Amino acid sequence: MAVEVRLKEIRNARGFSQNELARRLEMSLTNVQKIEYGQAKSIPLDTLDKLCKILQCEVGELLVRIPDDDEENSQLPISTIIPATEQNSPVNESKSQSNKKARKSVGSIVLPFEKRSA
């Protein structure tokens, strides 16, 4: 799976130049270009929110999932993906709470075309 950023198409349709968009986002032209050309390592959620407000669009219009050629695994029943022993096991409440806290702290979307260092 890949995620395509359709910033250029939406920006052009709304009549914004890269310079104007960068000014309104209060970020450098270079950063706007990195996002537009798919070279950004991540896009902070607040930046996505600003982009959508400025361009009057939804995140789903800006970021589009491009399916892989081999999509058959994504349509498997959950019982095939998760072993039966894990499906029926009780949830550890403390682990569940820590996962909720971790999810709240996520501040950006990491795009799949980037390489992450360990």
Side-chain angles (χ1 to χ4, degrees):
M1 177 191 75
V3 175
E4 182 179 295
V5 181
R6 297 215 168 137
L7 179 56
K8 183 175 183 178
E9 293 89 343
I10 295 172
R11 179 182 57 76
N12 285 333
R14 304 298 191 269
F16 286 98
S17 68
Q18 287 180 334
N19 282 320
E20 177 66 13
L21 185 58
R23 187 185 66 73
R24 289 185 181 216
L25 287 169
E26 298 176 341
M27 70 170 37
S28 71
L29 174 61
T30 302
N31 283 338
V32 170
Q33 289 172 334
K34 282 182 181 181
I35 294 169
E36 192 167 291
Y37 302 140
Q39 297 171 343
K41 292 186 178 185
S42 64
I43 303 173
L45 294 176
D46 64 330
T47 301
L48 282 174
D49 183 50
K50 286 180 184 178
L51 278 167
C52 290
K53 285 178 184 174
I54 293 166
L55 298 173
Q56 298 179 341
C57 67
E58 295 296 322
V59 175
E61 296 171 79
L62 198 56
L63 302 175
V64 180
R65 179 182 175 271
I66 308 298
D68 291 335
D69 292 335
D70 180 22
E71 283 285 319
E72 63 188 59
N73 289 337
S74 67
Q75 305 212 0
L76 293 175
I78 195 161
S79 60
T80 306
I81 299 168
I82 301 173
T85 56
E86 291 180 26
Q87 288 179 20
N88 299 322
S89 65
V91 176
N92 179 339
E93 188 62 33
S94 63
K95 190 174 184 179
S96 177
Q97 290 297 325
S98 66
N99 285 343
K100 287 179 185 176
K101 289 178 184 174
R103 278 187 239 132
K104 288 180 182 177
S105 66
V106 173
S108 64
I109 294 177
V110 178
L111 303 176
F113 51 77
E114 59 187 271
K115 295 180 182 176
R116 301 202 67 177
S117 58

